Amino acid sequence: MTASFPKGRTVTGERRRAEARQSVTMRDVANLAGVGIATVSRVVNNTGSVTPELVEKVQEAARTLGYRHDATASSLRRADRRTGTVALVLEDVSNPFSSALHRAVSDAAAERGILVLSGSSDESPERERELVETFTARRADGLIVVPTGRADATIEAARRLGIPVVAVDRMVRLDSVDTVTVDNQEGTARAAARLRDLGHRRVAYFGDLATIWTARERFTGFTSVFPDVPPALIRRELHSIDAAEDAARALLALPEPPTAFISGQNLITIGIRRVLQDSGLERRIALTGFDDFPLADLLSPGVSVIAQDPAALGAEAARLLLSRLDGHNGPARHSVVPTRYIARGSGEIRAAAGEAPAAAEVRAPGR
Amino acid sequence: MTASFPKGRTVTGERRRAEARQSVTMRDVANLAGVGIATVSRVVNNTGSVTPELVEKVQEAARTLGYRHDATASSLRRADRRTGTVALVLEDVSNPFSSALHRAVSDAAAERGILVLSGSSDESPERERELVETFTARRADGLIVVPTGRADATIEAARRLGIPVVAVDRMVRLDSVDTVTVDNQEGTARAAARLRDLGHRRVAYFGDLATIWTARERFTGFTSVFPDVPPALIRRELHSIDAAEDAARALLALPEPPTAFISGQNLITIGIRRVLQDSGLERRIALTGFDDFPLADLLSPGVSVIAQDPAALGAEAARLLLSRLDGHNGPARHSVVPTRYIARGSGEIRAAAGEAPAAAEVRAPGR
DNA sequence: TTGAAAGCGATACCAT
DNA sequence: ATGGTATCGCTTTCAA
């Protein structure tokens, strides 16, 4: 009511607003409250010191005008240029591993009022580059990425812009890039050793694309225990259920089929299991998979796995990134999250024996 | 080289840049290329008309300086104020339904160079409100939300800011809010009728929280076929595997246990199945679940479901939102995506009969 | 076709 | 404690 008469410029502004359904700005609030725009900024950001009286007046004005702070404009002028967003490049937001990781990052970010942008690379370095470029153009404060095989250039580009980057799930050898991975070699080796101890000698290994770091690591873990497995029992470059099914069927048709399978990945495990089940062999041929999956315990026999903890990976990645955003400036850190073997039956089947082990012995708690 | 002598202001700017590791701006590119900043803008945005010669010069300068466009500043000044981001409020980014939907939205957005912000409400209206507030503060161009029970105020707030909103999976009765849902009632009714036709009379219904619109719809579909089921066989407000397990155990302990279960949701289905399996009843008591889940076909017998297509939901939601962003201004539209019954065995078990149906008869293609 | 200048909405000095 | 004002990096008139 008693607000001073608007200046010419403001009149123009208000005309435009009416036309374009523009939003309420700090200037509008300042005018209504009869204070300077700087004071409004102080109240909104709760910085500096403002008389309680004025605080009230400003808040009142903001309320009646329906003022909404513009984080975009704010970050543009702010000294640190922070946008309060981090970007997450996953292989595929819809797969269980990725989305569990996503959730953990999201939670850690939300705790600090940080938003997360995400996208799926589908293992394409090209797509990954596009994503990182768009994210940096949107001025994300930091980047968490599950790097494709050739992510180095992309990541270095982001680093050059001064944006902290954390690589998760897969190793990247770059200074100043923190990494979070699991003990792929060790986990696979332990599972392989277990099968060896059960008498298995003809153990097939089915792995994912060799461009994927984890796939190479797991394979290395396998060969450390079974260095002399015939090449016919080794299949790599498997990236879908169907591919795994075909490969499994082929091996079962061999004159000397394997007595056990180790799978380097979820979808492969499922494909192998499907074929075993179709052939009625799920209780005679052992199967151990890397990475747990829902319902693995409901199948009969349950599927034994080397379980990773994607939520832990995500939480750790977020922790590392946030510490960088908080100013930490040390050399690259490399966290390794342990895996856990879960015995459910399929990985406890003895070689050559006709009978499955007693159910009670192999039963493990669900997930 | 021949660029005009920098003015005082520019000198200051360059000093700051050196100190703060600031990024390269259009002004820098303009200076190096010896053109006006407006020309750089035209080249970068590929708008207006610029001499091929100058285009080349500008691009050259941008390249050598490592110029990166700032989408944030761009949208601030741009007439339409578009930020090129849409926000997605899911129940939980890590659950399969949500993440499949997420992926579909993400893909549709990516096709137009639009980024997606996402968050999990965990069914909390409070959390949902926070998310929407943060998203609108970040000036998302549009909103796709799986609304919690009391989302109306939140959504209207966004609408008042002129931000298009699409509600997905659950109905919201607000003008100017497009919705995309599935035929929950019909799908459930069809599955129920099927059980009735198999002779079932004592059919238990396990549903999710009644605050969730889909839970109410599905229950309505069930009662339309079984209006007289004893209350003891009806359990609602089930929101976890554990809750479902407890409830299922309780019903099986009844003097007259149900001969069939209908589950209103994934986790419930899994809980029920686990209990049935623990009791060795999975071939004697029928089970049909709403919403498909991975490996449902690998169990034995396979779990019959009323399958939704979350990807289709997401794609349709994205389509509606993008059309609004393209200026479409008609009244609210309401898309309904059909469900599909998938017979895998568990929903084909006859009442009171001891034997399961022949495997061949009920076998259905996987997912 | 091109460039100068006026903002977009907000923050951060610098006086008061 | 408060307000005026110069930017933040960019787009968009408006003249030239």
Side-chain angles (χ1 to χ4, degrees):
Chain A
M1 287 304 132
T2 57
S4 62
F5 200 81
K7 294 149 204 152
R9 192 156 62 114
T10 307
V11 168
T12 309
E14 276 166 16
R15 174 131 24 84
R16 290 201 60 240
R17 194 156 307 132
E19 286 161 3
R21 233 182 120 8
Q22 205 95 356
S23 58
V24 181
T25 75
M26 277 195 174
R27 174 170 246 89
D28 300 321
V29 176
N31 286 154
L32 179 59
V35 302
I37 178 180
T39 300
V40 177
S41 176
R42 290 187 193 102
V43 171
V44 167
N45 294 291
N46 200 23
T47 60
S49 38
V50 184
T51 317
E53 215 173 300
L54 276 194
V55 172
E56 177 55 38
K57 236 194 236 173
V58 169
Q59 287 174 336
E60 164 83 23
R63 217 173 305 124
T64 68
L65 254 36
Y67 169 76
R68 319 250 45 230
H69 189 65
D70 187 326
T72 286
S74 165
S75 89
L76 177 59
R77 190 57 180 84
R78 173 171 279 128
D80 58 12
R81 300 278 275 121
R82 287 287 171 77
T83 56
T85 60
V86 299
L88 183 56
V89 180
L90 299 166
E91 191 211 318
D92 173 2
V93 293
S94 73
N95 86 32
F97 178 85
S98 295
S99 62
L101 203 155
H102 191 329
R103 176 69 205 241
V105 169
S106 192
D107 284 350
E111 222 166 77
R112 318 240 313 219
I114 292 176
L115 255 33
V116 8
L117 287 162
S118 60
S120 308
S121 72
D122 292 321
E123 295 298 350
S124 151
E126 173 59 22
R127 179 83 191 108
E128 174 180 59
R129 200 184 48 69
E130 284 174 21
L131 283 170
V132 170
E133 237 155 55
T134 326
F135 289 147
T136 55
R138 282 325 185 284
R139 291 302 185 261
D141 296 333
L143 221 52
I144 296 180
V145 36
V146 176
T148 64
R150 288 173 306 252
D152 295 31
T154 302
I155 288 179
E156 283 200 318
R159 286 295 311 137
R160 228 170 299 125
L161 293 171
I163 300 179
V165 176
V166 175
V168 62
D169 186 46
R170 305 170 187 177
M171 187 60 77
V172 152
R173 304 201 182 282
L174 289 174
D175 294 344
S176 78
V177 171
D178 297 327
T179 64
V180 185
T181 54
V182 302
D183 55 344
N184 290 285
Q185 282 198 31
E186 193 188 320
T188 312
R190 255 184 304 148
R194 192 176 179 104
L195 289 174
R196 185 196 52 204
D197 295 348
L198 285 167
H200 292 280
R201 293 300 172 264
R202 293 185 60 78
V203 179
Y205 184 87
F206 277 22
D208 204 331
L209 309 177
T211 53
I212 302 176
W213 179 79
T214 52
R216 296 197 300 276
E217 289 288 303
R218 293 169 195 170
F219 182 62
T220 303
F222 169 76
T223 51
S224 73
V225 175
F226 290 109
D228 301 320
V229 160
L233 296 188
I234 291 174
R235 292 297 306 271
R236 304 179 72 181
E237 308 296 325
L238 263 22
H239 197 62
S240 70
I241 294 186
D242 285 348
E245 286 189 24
D246 292 345
R249 256 188 293 273
L251 287 219
L252 291 184
L254 249 37
E256 281 197 292
T259 63
F261 283 87
I262 294 191
S263 149
Q265 189 247 71
N266 256 340
L267 300 179
I268 298 178
T269 311
I270 294 171
I272 295 174
R273 173 54 178 254
R274 199 167 269 168
V275 169
L276 289 179
Q277 225 163 291
D278 284 349
S279 321
L281 291 170
E282 73 271 22
R283 304 184 174 281
R284 319 190 56 102
I285 295 185
L287 169 61
T288 301
F290 204 108
D291 198 9
D292 201 6
F293 55 93
L295 272 64
D297 60 323
L298 266 193
L299 300 178
S300 166
V303 177
S304 300
V305 298
I306 304 142
Q308 332 185 52
D309 188 345
L313 279 174
E316 176 66 3
R319 196 182 67 76
L320 293 179
L321 186 67
L322 291 175
S323 82
R324 294 286 178 189
L325 293 181
D326 288 341
H328 177 87
N329 227 330
R333 294 160 293 178
H334 304 286
S335 290
V336 176
V337 175
T339 55
R340 190 167 58 95
Y341 182 84
I342 304 180
R344 294 204 181 99
S346 75
E348 283 64 41
I349 297 172
R350 294 182 177 283
E355 75 284 36
E361 183 198 334
V362 302
R363 199 74 183 223
R367 346 173 337 105
Chain B
M1 286 306 129
T2 56
S4 62
F5 199 83
K7 295 147 204 153
R9 193 157 61 116
T10 306
V11 168
T12 309
E14 276 167 17
R15 175 132 24 84
R16 290 200 61 242
R17 193 157 308 130
E19 285 161 4
R21 232 184 121 5
Q22 205 93 358
S23 57
V24 180
T25 75
M26 277 194 174
R27 173 169 249 90
D28 300 321
V29 176
N31 286 156
L32 180 59
V35 303
I37 178 180
T39 300
V40 177
S41 176
R42 291 189 192 100
V43 171
V44 167
N45 294 293
N46 200 23
T47 60
S49 37
V50 183
T51 317
E53 215 173 299
L54 276 195
V55 172
E56 177 54 39
K57 238 194 232 171
V58 168
Q59 287 174 337
E60 164 82 22
R63 217 174 305 123
T64 69
L65 253 36
Y67 169 76
R68 318 252 40 234
H69 189 65
D70 187 327
T72 285
S74 164
S75 87
L76 179 60
R77 188 58 179 83
R78 173 170 279 129
D80 57 13
R81 302 283 327 258
R82 287 288 171 78
T83 56
T85 61
V86 299
L88 183 56
V89 180
L90 298 167
E91 190 210 320
D92 173 3
V93 292
S94 73
N95 86 33
F97 178 85
S98 294
S99 62
L101 203 155
H102 191 330
R103 176 69 204 241
V105 169
S106 193
D107 284 350
E111 221 165 79
R112 318 242 311 222
I114 292 177
L115 255 33
V116 6
L117 287 162
S118 60
S120 308
S121 72
D122 292 322
E123 296 298 349
S124 152
E126 171 60 20
R127 179 83 191 106
E128 174 180 59
R129 199 184 48 70
E130 284 174 21
L131 282 171
V132 170
E133 237 156 57
T134 326
F135 289 147
T136 55
R138 287 311 189 296
R139 292 299 185 262
D141 296 333
L143 220 52
I144 295 180
V145 36
V146 176
T148 64
R150 289 174 305 255
D152 296 30
T154 301
I155 289 178
E156 284 200 319
R159 286 295 310 137
R160 228 171 299 126
L161 293 172
I163 301 180
V165 177
V166 175
V168 61
D169 186 45
R170 306 171 187 176
M171 186 59 77
V172 152
R173 304 203 181 284
L174 290 173
D175 294 343
S176 77
V177 171
D178 298 326
T179 65
V180 185
T181 54
V182 303
D183 56 344
N184 291 286
Q185 281 198 32
E186 192 186 320
T188 313
R190 252 184 306 148
R194 191 175 179 105
L195 289 174
R196 185 197 51 204
D197 296 346
L198 286 167
H200 292 280
R201 293 301 173 263
R202 293 185 60 78
V203 179
Y205 184 86
F206 278 22
D208 204 331
L209 308 177
T211 52
I212 302 176
W213 180 78
T214 51
R216 296 196 300 275
E217 289 288 302
R218 292 168 196 172
F219 182 61
T220 303
F222 170 74
T223 52
S224 74
V225 175
F226 291 108
D228 301 319
V229 160
L233 296 188
I234 291 173
R235 292 297 306 271
R236 303 178 73 180
E237 309 296 326
L238 264 22
H239 197 62
S240 70
I241 294 185
D242 285 348
E245 286 188 25
D246 293 345
R249 257 188 292 273
L251 287 218
L252 291 185
L254 250 35
E256 281 197 292
T259 63
F261 283 87
I262 294 189
S263 150
Q265 188 248 71
N266 256 342
L267 301 178
I268 298 178
T269 310
I270 293 170
I272 296 174
R273 172 56 177 253
R274 199 167 269 167
V275 169
L276 289 179
Q277 225 163 293
D278 284 349
S279 319
L281 292 170
E282 74 271 23
R283 304 186 174 281
R284 317 190 57 104
I285 296 185
L287 169 62
T288 301
F290 204 107
D291 197 11
D292 201 5
F293 55 93
L295 272 64
D297 59 324
L298 265 194
L299 299 178
S300 164
V303 178
S304 300
V305 298
I306 305 140
Q308 329 185 53
D309 187 346
L313 279 173
E316 176 66 3
R319 196 182 66 77
L320 293 179
L321 185 67
L322 291 175
S323 82
R324 294 287 178 187
L325 293 181
D326 288 340
H328 177 88
N329 227 330
R333 293 160 293 178
H334 303 286
S335 289
V336 176
V337 176
T339 55
R340 190 167 57 96
Y341 183 85
I342 304 180
R344 294 203 181 99
S346 75
E348 284 64 42
I349 297 173
R350 295 182 175 283
E355 76 285 35
E361 184 198 333
V362 303
R363 197 75 184 223
R367 353 175 326 107

